[in-house]
Amino acid sequence: MDIDQKLFTQLKAALPAELFARNEWRFLVSAFRACALVALTTFLAAKFIPLTWWAIPLWTLYAVVNGTLGTGVWVIAHECGHGGFSKHKILNDLLGYPLHTVLLVPYFSWQYSHGVHHSRTNHLDEGETHVPVRVGAASEKQHNKLRHLIGDDAFSALNIFTLTTVGWPLYLLAGITGGPARGKTNHFIPGDDNKLFPPPVHAKVWASTVGVVGVLVTLAYLALAYGALPVLALYWGPYMVTNAWLVVYTYLHHTAPDTPHYDAAAWNWTKGSLCTIERNYPDVINWLHFDIGSTHVVHHLFSAMPHYNADAARRILEPKFSEYYRVDRQPFLQSLFNVGKVCIAVKENPKSKGEWCYTQESSSDQ
């Protein structure tokens, strides 16, 4: 069967209607759980971990735990952006905006750019986030030169470290890893030269910016009032961990040695959406993050489906449409290391026009 609208119709028809129904109270329970876990660990750290040098291991552990919990809050806000909380758009935004803003995410700006990502998944030119470069591009030459210099394993470690530490802010500020069709973009300042955001959404971009600036001003006030160290320890460490989880999820959802991207000659929405990959995360991570990593094919096909129904949908679709359903059973850290090592640039498949696949070949080999 061709991967097209007809296949999507069959995928949707395979799911019972109740899986698309929203239960606002059930969603609010998830939101409360995520926020409560973050608040509890923040309170315990502030009360019991001293701000001393010898406590650095404890603060590091706190950052990992609290930041991992905070990713659950991030996922809930992300789902609000898709309309997964309520059929009423204003209710989605009233919940999603503060939850994302406190994590320094420009809610409406990212809601829009993320919608572009969903509408152009694995499109080689018009995609948004983690769009690969073609063999011969300047960045490909630089990356492969470095890989040959330091070795595959060290390159993968450096690549992953860079992505998980500065990848997210660089994407928000400059559109790094965004599609070439839009060039350099910025999620905080719209304008004629920012091709990501058309004029009708400029007001919402500014509203997002105002919220993020408000949080930064609050953090600065707290630093002045109580000292920079408590703010760094209690907020900035977990914030970095949450950012790392976000990047890992997005990167692994759409990047794999055997997962193609398509140019305009071959891409369609169903084909791109089915280039999403579900990864193998520990059960506790799936619980904390509302199965975002293990039900992501479902999410791309039916983005407004609530998280609490996604696993049931996956259990129906994966076996029935296994020919099209991408699942990686390796532990996610192993997958991450392999992807960081080999997924540098793509080259057109000579047997399939418009299909571009990752290759170990570099421009210097040509």
Side-chain angles (χ1 to χ4, degrees), residues 199-279:
V201 301
H202 284 186
K204 286 191 170 183
V205 173
W206 284 118
S208 304
T209 302
V210 168
V212 171
V213 170
V215 173
L216 289 173
V217 169
T218 301
L219 291 171
Y221 170 79
L222 292 172
L224 289 172
Y226 301 101
L229 197 55
V231 174
L232 290 172
L234 287 168
Y235 183 90
W236 212 260
Y239 167 76
M240 294 295 292
V241 172
T242 297
N243 287 356
W245 272 113
L246 160 65
V247 171
V248 167
Y249 276 129
T250 311
Y251 186 45
L252 288 182
H253 283 158
H254 305 289
T255 311
D258 60 349
T259 299
H261 285 68
Y262 299 96
D263 62 25
W267 183 90
N268 66 58
W269 183 87
T270 305
K271 187 185 292 185
S273 296
L274 287 172
C275 284
T276 305
I277 311 144
E278 289 176 0
R279 302 289 187 175

Side-chain angles (χ1 to χ4, degrees), residues 107-246:
Y107 174 77
F108 292 113
S109 307
W110 189 79
Q111 179 189 49
Y112 184 86
S113 67
H114 190 61
V116 174
H117 161 65
H118 271 259
S119 69
R120 292 292 185 271
T121 304
N122 280 46
H123 193 300
L124 190 58
D125 297 303
E126 298 177 12
E128 185 69 16
T129 73
H130 299 291
V131 179
V133 298
R134 293 168 169 85
V135 170
S139 60
E140 176 270 318
K141 295 176 182 179
Q142 295 167 357
H143 280 82
N144 271 311
K145 182 177 180 180
L146 179 61
R147 181 169 64 90
H148 292 315
L149 179 66
I150 66 177
D152 289 347
D153 291 348
F155 175 82
S156 180
L158 180 60
N159 190 18
I160 293 165
F161 175 79
T162 303
L163 282 172
T164 54
T165 53
V166 299
W168 172 240
L170 286 177
Y171 169 66
L172 292 180
L173 291 168
I176 301 300
T177 78
R182 286 171 289 279
K184 185 177 180 180
T185 61
N186 184 293
H187 279 68
F188 300 99
I189 304 174
D192 294 339
D193 57 344
N194 190 346
K195 296 180 181 179
L196 180 57
F197 301 108
V201 301
H202 284 186
K204 286 191 170 183
V205 173
W206 284 118
S208 304
T209 302
V210 168
V212 171
V213 170
V215 173
L216 289 173
V217 169
T218 301
L219 291 171
Y221 170 79
L222 292 172
L224 289 172
Y226 301 101
L229 197 55
V231 174
L232 290 172
L234 287 168
Y235 183 90
W236 212 260
Y239 167 76
M240 294 295 292
V241 172
T242 297
N243 287 356
W245 272 113
L246 160 65

Side-chain angles (χ1 to χ4, degrees), residues 12 43 51 76 90 102 171 214 238 254 284 290 302-303 342 349:
K12 187 173 183 179
F43 169 78
L51 288 167
I76 288 294
I90 189 171
V102 78
Y171 169 66
H254 305 289
V284 66
F290 305 100
F302 313 106
S303 59
V342 303
N349 182 353

Side-chain angles (χ1 to χ4, degrees), residues 15 19 278 291 293-298 305 309-321 325 327 329:
L15 299 175
L19 293 184
E278 289 176 0
D291 295 313
S294 61
T295 63
H296 212 67
V297 175
V298 171
M305 179 181 287
N309 291 334
D311 190 59
R314 178 193 65 80
R315 293 175 185 274
I316 294 170
L317 295 181
E318 184 182 336
K320 191 168 184 177
F321 297 91
Y325 209 94
V327 182
R329 305 295 184 189

